[in-house]
Amino acid sequence: MDFSRQGVIKKQHEIKSTAKRLNSKLRVNLYRVGLISVVFLCIMGVVAINGAVRAIISKAPPIEQVDINPHGFTTHIYYSDGTLSQELIGAEANRVLVKISEIPIDLQHAFVAIEDERFYEHNGIDIQGIFRAGFSVIKTRGLGFGGSTLTQQLLKVKLFNYGGEKNNIDKIVRKLQEQYLAVKLEDKLSKDEILEAYMNNIYLGNGAYGVQTAAQSYFGKDVQDLTLSEAAVIAPIALSPVRCNPIDHQEKNAERRKDCLDKMLELNFCTKEEYDAALADNVYDRIQDYNQQKTQDTYFSYFTDALIEQVLSDLETKKGYTTEQAQNLLYSGGLEIYTTQDKRIQEIMDKYFTDEANFPEVGKGSYYNLNYDLTIDKEDGSQVIYNTDDVIEYFKDFDDSEHLYYHKSKPYVGINILGYSKEDMEAKIEQFKKSVKGPNDSVHYENVNIILQPQTSMTIMDQYTGQVVALYGGRGEKTGNRTTNRASNSQRSVGSTFKVLAAYLPALDTCGLTLASVMDDSEYEYPTGGKVRNWNGKYEGLSSARRGIYHSMNIVACRFLEAVTPRVAFDYLKKLGFDLVESQIGSDGKKYSDLTYSLALGGLTNGVTNMQLTAAYASIANHGIYNKPVLYTTIRDREGNVILSNKPSSEQVFKSSTAWLLTSAMQDTVNIGTASGHIKFRDGYKMPVAGKTGTSTNDYDLWFAGFTPYYTAAIWTGFDYNFPQTDKKYQQDIWRGVMQEIHTSLDLEIKEFEKPDSITSAVICTKCGKLAIAGVCDHTLQGNCTKSEYFAKGTVPTEYCTCHVKVSICKQSGHFASPYCPPDQCEDVVYLNKEETSPTEDTPYLYPTEELAQPCPIHSEGSVAPPIDEEGDIPDLDYVDEYIEPDEEEEPLDDPSEEIPSETDPDESIPPVIIVPPNQ
């Protein structure tokens, strides 16, 4: 640069020139305009941002509409003694509400220390936290945010569905609304109210919502019992319920736990001594031990499955809920359900049904049943579906003598529906799958269901209330919730247990028939066609209702139902809770109806459930009063209000006298009938038992339904898909074992079945059901045909036996004795006077009608001195083949101990029976 005098003057001239001055002025003006523009733009930006923020805030819901109360609570199910049975947990419903006063101060402080240390100071938003979060955003160049207060976190959970927005704009919008509402909420609620809501809403991993459920989940204790050490485990989980889970991620939780304790010490929330003790506590070993030892059922019990069905039905039918509303209330409404389930009885039942020693051995009556479905996505985009039949076809020629399988009732070598080994079935399923799946194919769907067979079920009821006290719905491991429940919703053929209900009950109750009434057990066809056979292939001839019951005689039952009519039987069964079909067109176009004569043998369109049969038999034990089965007594909502009360629904279906008579006959089933040797209690235990066995066609279904003076129970066993059973008595042994242990363990007083005043008794002839005659009915060729029988008053027979004929026989010839047969060669024989259409066990003892009915051919006039009367004359006697009617009608015998009237006592009102050979 030129600093000489002339150089300086030159420079001054340049500066003072007009052009230069204009240029400088332009620059200044441009700078001013630019500065003003920037300021204007900034102002406009602030206005715009303010407008945007206001617009965002304006879209936030009014604080009055913000509900921070927890929604979704665990429903608790209780045994009849009030102890907890199971819990129903819907989505986000594993929660138990607790008040702030029940939450220990250490846990409150732990959450404040680790999540919002200035909680008690700010007004809903934490300025320091916001700046800290801002620096984090600048540093990480991401909108991870942070700095949210407990109030904001509560709003995020309750109002913004835990956040998780898909883009940054939405995240900013949510954050602004969250902060605005946090301030408003702090104006509305106290700090304790906000903290209580937060600690009841927050998800804390392991399926636990809220601090009470978390305390139970990790430590098995109530929240109020948590220590400082345990509180410092739970609070850090809120940051990340997965990564900070103390069961699966102990190290991460321990790191956060120490941060929590450090902050609590810094904030004077605990003393140094408490801090040191908490750090020294081996809390994680305690957590692991508890979670290994606790026995939490994976699936609901069969009782709970049945309970859920009943509760949902009642909520819809009695309270008017829709199906969806009923399900939401049940699973997430925090209901308290008090059931009828007796824990002691259920445990006894469970013990017997989980012990495989009580069932036929695998390969010797028990088998594994396979159901298989497979869908393969092929490489070319097509889809192929396979099922059990394809597996059967693949292995039909497979020869393995160690594993024999069966298909329906047709055995052959090769894999099939039933097998000896579950492991072998699984291996062959894999082999089959490899054979159909190409290297580039994929499995779209696969279902392997291998179930141990035969299956079983049992229901136990208190007959006086209708309360189901225990229930078991299937053998083997339970594989899901609300799966097949063979006790409550599987309909099976009921077999001979229906004889009592369909035939004998209405016969005794309305048709004037009695336990002494007889029917001929002979060849029989239904009036509508179809031959009926007895289970033992025999025909016993004239048989009483009592014998028909305890000996389970098919034909006798059918003849009683024919006398009753199917309509009368049908109506009784409907009142006893059975879902019968009066008229129905099936999917095959055929007409179906249960108004048939086969009702006597359990021939139904759809079958019955175990629970239905138990309830029907309970009505016999309950003096003819039917109670609809109930599984709960009371249901309360979360506030303790009763929303459902299950009072007994009772109806007197038949007379108490009928009930007692059936009970008496079914006691014979246990003592001398088809259940003898298996059902009667052992070891000298004298509790009376009554019941009835039942077997369906081909032994597909085996039943026993019976009762004591305290409980009624029915047990069923059979293959889910009909298959003959070889062991036919084990279910009776299980019934006896369960019921005897229940009665002995509960120390129930031994007592007899209560006999009503309407019962009387008389000695009858078992072959005709009429009053017996001494010397005749008790000295027949078939033995003693007399019995002391019970009757409802007014039904005792008034006539005497008319089916036995006493005849004098010559021992030498075997013919009817003549007047000339020596007395020492004559004997009295009592024949059965009966018309037969087919041979029965009565046939050899029938009154002779042919050659033997002729007078003795050996002894005739002149061979011996004829008999003479008191006046010395030979009497002209006519053959008498029927009893002479008494002059006056006698009162029936009421006392079974009374002596049977003698045929030879002239002082008795019954005249002597005169039996002589005919004159020829």
Side-chain angles (χ1 to χ4, degrees):
M1 179 172 282
D2 185 2
F3 290 101
S4 66
R5 177 181 175 83
Q6 292 183 354
V8 171
I9 292 171
K10 185 179 178 180
K11 189 68 176 175
Q12 289 176 343
H13 281 293
E14 290 177 358
I15 292 173
K16 292 179 180 179
S17 67
T18 303
K20 290 293 184 179
R21 287 200 306 270
L22 290 174
N23 186 43
S24 296
K25 185 176 276 190
L26 179 61
R27 285 183 178 180
V28 171
N29 289 334
L30 287 174
Y31 174 76
R32 288 175 178 172
V33 170
L35 181 61
I36 292 171
S37 297
V38 168
V39 172
F40 176 78
L41 290 173
C42 287
I43 292 173
M44 291 300 295
V46 169
V47 171
I49 292 172
N50 181 62
V53 169
R54 285 180 176 274
I56 291 172
I57 290 175
S58 68
K59 293 181 180 179
I63 192 63
E64 293 78 16
Q65 296 180 10
V66 175
D67 181 11
I68 63 169
N69 293 316
H71 293 100
F73 297 92
T74 301
T75 288
H76 295 91
I77 299 173
Y78 299 97
Y79 290 112
S80 58
D81 63 0
T83 58
L84 183 66
S85 168
Q86 286 188 299
E87 296 175 331
L88 304 183
I89 303 171
E92 300 185 19
N94 189 17
R95 177 187 291 107
V96 176
L97 187 66
V98 287
K99 299 295 184 183
I100 192 69
S101 59
E102 300 173 278
I103 302 174
I105 194 65
D106 284 338
L107 184 59
Q108 297 178 41
H109 285 163
F111 274 101
V112 170
I114 196 72
E115 291 294 327
D116 186 4
E117 62 182 279
R118 285 172 290 279
F119 173 71
Y120 293 109
E121 302 167 8
H122 62 63
N123 66 342
I125 57 175
D126 181 8
I127 301 302
Q128 284 186 245
I130 291 174
F131 277 112
R132 187 180 68 246
F135 286 126
S136 175
V137 169
I138 295 172
K139 184 176 180 180
T140 61
R141 296 183 180 181
L143 294 180
F145 288 121
S148 292
T149 63
L150 289 180
T151 312
Q152 289 177 251
Q153 291 183 44
L154 174 61
L155 289 165
K156 182 170 71 173
V157 169
K158 292 300 298 176
L159 195 60
F160 299 104
N161 196 27
Y162 293 91
E165 292 80 6
K166 295 181 180 180
N167 58 69
N168 291 336
I169 298 298
D170 290 342
K171 185 175 289 188
I172 292 171
V173 170
R174 187 260 301 169
K175 200 72 174 179
L176 290 171
Q177 291 179 342
E178 187 181 281
Q179 291 174 342
Y180 166 75
L181 291 173
V183 175
K184 292 290 186 179
L185 191 62
E186 292 264 357
D187 291 338
K188 181 181 177 183
L189 301 176
S190 68
K191 291 289 186 180
D192 278 353
E193 288 174 323
I194 292 171
L195 187 59
E196 177 183 304
Y198 172 83
M199 298 179 79
N200 277 296
N201 276 291
I202 194 71
Y203 178 56
L204 294 168
N206 211 31
Y209 288 84
V211 292
Q212 168 64 17
T213 310
Q216 286 288 347
S217 179
Y218 295 114
F219 300 102
K221 60 172 64 175
D222 289 332
V223 65
Q224 61 193 21
D225 299 323
L226 290 177
T227 65
L228 172 62
S229 172
E230 293 163 345
V233 169
I234 290 178
I237 302 174
L239 175 68
S240 175
V242 176
R243 290 187 293 109
C244 295
N245 187 307
I247 297 175
D248 301 322
H249 301 281
Q250 176 180 322
E251 292 183 1
K252 181 63 177 177
N253 182 274
E255 177 185 329
R256 288 274 294 169
R257 174 174 176 265
K258 186 175 185 306
D259 292 341
C260 178
L261 289 170
D262 289 345
K263 184 60 69 172
M264 290 181 74
L265 180 63
E266 176 188 331
L267 297 174
N268 294 319
F269 286 160
C270 67
T271 65
K272 186 65 167 66
E273 291 75 15
E274 291 170 334
Y275 171 85
D276 292 338
L279 282 180
D281 181 23
N282 197 2
V283 67
Y284 294 103
D285 283 352
R286 197 157 66 248
I287 293 173
Q288 294 297 331
D289 289 344
Y290 170 70
N291 280 272
Q292 288 174 4
Q293 293 172 6
K294 69 178 180 179
T295 55
Q296 181 177 3
D297 294 334
T298 304
Y299 302 111
F300 301 148
S301 69
Y302 284 108
F303 186 99
T304 300
D305 281 350
L307 171 71
I308 290 171
E309 299 287 343
Q310 190 171 93
V311 171
L312 288 174
S313 175
D314 288 353
L315 286 173
E316 293 181 39
T317 57
K318 296 180 180 180
K319 303 297 291 184
Y321 287 94
T322 65
T323 299
E324 183 178 359
Q325 289 171 337
Q327 289 179 340
N328 288 338
L329 180 62
L330 178 61
Y331 287 101
S332 303
L335 302 179
E336 304 286 315
I337 303 177
Y338 297 89
T339 75
T340 60
Q341 187 180 27
D342 190 306
K343 183 178 181 180
R344 301 163 300 174
I345 295 176
Q346 187 67 61
E347 287 177 348
I348 292 171
M349 181 185 283
D350 292 349
K351 182 180 75 171
Y352 279 84
F353 278 85
T354 55
D355 185 356
E356 281 299 314
N358 292 320
F359 295 89
E361 184 180 345
V362 175
K364 298 180 180 179
S366 288
Y367 305 92
Y368 287 98
N369 173 233
L370 170 66
N371 282 294
Y372 184 65
D373 296 288
L374 175 68
T375 302
I376 296 290
D377 289 333
K378 305 298 288 184
E379 182 180 5
D380 61 5
S382 63
Q383 201 173 70
V384 183
I385 299 174
Y386 302 93
N387 57 31
T388 310
D389 291 337
D390 298 302
V391 180
I392 294 170
E393 181 67 22
Y394 179 81
F395 283 102
K396 67 179 181 180
D397 297 323
F398 179 77
D399 186 8
D400 184 352
S401 59
E402 187 176 345
H403 304 290
L404 184 63
Y405 297 84
Y406 295 86
H407 181 231
K408 296 182 180 177
S409 59
K410 204 175 191 181
Y412 66 92
V413 175
I415 190 168
N416 220 303
I417 287 181
L418 301 178
Y420 292 164
S421 168
K422 181 178 181 180
E423 292 74 17
D424 182 68
M425 275 187 166
E426 291 171 340
K428 287 183 170 57
I429 287 298
E430 288 300 313
Q431 184 178 340
F432 170 78
K433 186 165 62 174
K434 288 180 181 178
S435 73
V436 298
K437 179 178 175 293
N440 297 320
D441 298 341
S442 61
V443 175
H444 179 82
Y445 171 79
E446 184 179 24
N447 176 48
V448 181
N449 198 6
I450 300 175
I451 302 175
L452 190 58
Q453 303 285 349
Q455 273 298 320
T456 188
S457 67
M458 188 173 186
T459 306
I460 303 179
M461 287 180 60
D462 180 337
Q463 55 245 26
Y464 305 112
T465 63
Q467 295 183 357
V468 177
V469 296
L471 179 149
Y472 209 87
R475 176 186 178 192
E477 182 181 358
K478 199 167 184 285
T479 58
N481 291 327
R482 297 177 67 183
T483 55
T484 300
N485 192 332
R486 299 166 186 86
S488 63
N489 56 30
S490 288
Q491 294 178 313
R492 300 292 305 197
S493 178
V494 74
S496 298
T497 55
F498 235 43
K499 293 173 182 174
V500 172
L501 304 172
Y504 298 109
L505 188 158
L508 270 59
D509 203 55
T510 62
C511 296
L513 299 173
T514 70
L515 288 179
S517 298
V518 298
M519 294 290 175
D520 193 15
D521 182 30
S522 58
E523 289 186 3
Y524 176 79
E525 287 189 1
Y526 293 125
T528 53
K531 193 169 184 178
V532 178
R533 294 179 175 83
N534 285 323
W535 60 270
N536 58 6
K538 298 179 180 180
Y539 300 105
E540 294 192 11
L542 294 175
S543 302
S544 68
R546 177 181 287 272
R547 180 165 177 79
I549 291 173
Y550 74 73
H551 202 49
S552 195
M553 302 170 73
N554 292 347
I555 293 171
V556 172
C558 289
R559 290 188 187 275
F560 270 96
L561 186 131
E562 184 178 344
V564 167
T565 74
R567 167 53 72 182
V568 172
F570 184 94
D571 291 343
Y572 268 97
L573 293 170
K574 289 287 285 185
K575 290 181 180 179
L576 291 174
F578 294 108
D579 300 321
L580 303 186
V581 175
E582 184 162 352
S583 181
Q584 174 181 301
I585 303 299
S587 57
D588 56 2
K590 296 180 179 179
K591 182 179 179 180
Y592 293 90
S593 174
D594 292 330
L595 266 172
T596 64
Y597 292 95
S598 61
L599 269 179
L601 306 182
L604 301 175
T605 303
N606 299 316
V608 306
T609 69
N610 187 306
M611 190 183 295
Q612 287 175 333
L613 186 66
T614 305
Y617 268 79
S619 69
I620 302 175
N622 190 30
H623 317 299
I625 301 172
Y626 173 78
N627 286 311
K628 185 178 179 180
V630 296
L631 291 97
Y632 68 90
T633 56
T634 306
I635 299 179
R636 297 180 181 272
D637 63 19
R638 195 164 54 84
E639 284 74 36
N641 303 308
V642 175
I643 61 173
L644 281 173
S645 181
N646 223 353
K647 297 179 181 178
S649 176
S650 303
E651 180 184 359
Q652 184 82 47
V653 177
F654 50 98
K655 292 177 284 194
S656 61
S657 58
T658 301
W660 192 90
L661 291 171
L662 293 174
T663 299
S664 175
M666 288 191 289
Q667 284 184 271
D668 283 351
T669 300
V670 173
N671 296 326
I672 60 175
T674 53
S676 61
H678 291 270
I679 291 296
K680 189 174 182 179
F681 292 156
R682 297 181 179 178
D683 302 322
Y685 188 57
K686 301 297 185 180
M687 185 71 74
V689 178
K692 181 70 185 71
T693 55
T695 306
S696 68
T697 304
N698 297 326
D699 302 319
Y700 291 156
D701 303 273
L702 303 176
W703 292 87
F704 182 79
F707 49 87
T708 70
Y710 294 95
Y711 295 108
T712 301
I715 188 171
W716 164 86
T717 184
F719 287 71
D720 286 332
Y721 303 93
N722 289 338
F723 193 79
Q725 299 182 76
T726 54
D727 188 338
K728 304 175 186 178
K729 295 293 184 181
Y730 69 93
Q731 80 283 358
Q732 296 182 23
D733 293 328
I734 295 174
W735 192 99
R736 184 199 67 248
V738 171
M739 292 293 278
Q740 181 166 348
E741 186 167 338
I742 287 170
H743 287 71
T744 54
S745 64
L746 298 184
D747 196 25
L748 298 176
E749 177 187 356
I750 295 176
K751 61 181 181 180
E752 296 298 322
F753 293 109
E754 183 181 351
K755 183 168 70 172
D757 295 336
S758 55
I759 296 295
T760 185
S761 59
V763 180
I764 53 93
C765 171
T766 59
K767 283 296 179 179
C768 66
K770 299 178 182 180
L771 296 175
I773 300 176
V776 179
C777 301
D778 53 350
H779 288 81
T780 76
L781 290 174
Q782 292 174 285
N784 184 359
C785 291
T786 67
K787 176 180 175 54
S788 177
E789 186 56 272
Y790 293 103
F791 297 87
K793 286 182 178 179
T795 65
V796 178
T798 57
E799 296 182 356
Y800 290 89
C801 174
T802 57
C803 67
H804 285 116
V805 178
K806 188 173 184 179
V807 178
S808 181
I809 299 295
C810 177
K811 291 189 286 185
Q812 283 186 274
S813 66
H815 286 240
F816 285 177
S818 72
Y820 307 101
C821 293
D824 62 344
Q825 294 298 312
C826 296
E827 65 176 350
D828 291 336
V829 176
V830 179
Y831 287 107
L832 182 64
N833 187 21
K834 165 196 173 187
E835 292 184 4
E836 279 197 337
T837 57
S838 61
T840 70
E841 292 182 3
D842 286 339
T843 303
Y845 312 106
L846 294 182
Y847 182 83
T849 57
E850 298 179 356
E851 182 181 354
L852 293 179
Q854 301 300 315
C856 174
I858 297 176
H859 304 106
S860 59
E861 186 175 359
S863 63
V864 294
I868 59 175
D869 58 20
E870 295 178 355
E871 297 178 356
D873 298 325
I874 298 176
D876 183 17
L877 298 175
D878 293 327
Y879 173 66
V880 179
D881 62 354
E882 61 181 358
Y883 300 114
I884 300 174
E885 293 295 329
D887 293 334
E888 296 181 0
E889 183 175 330
E890 293 296 312
E891 290 294 322
L893 296 175
D894 287 343
D895 187 351
S897 64
E898 289 187 35
E899 183 180 356
I900 303 174
S902 169
E903 58 155 339
T904 58
D905 187 348
D907 295 329
E908 292 290 344
S909 60
I910 302 176
V913 178
I914 303 173
I915 305 297
V916 297
N919 290 323
Q920 298 292 332

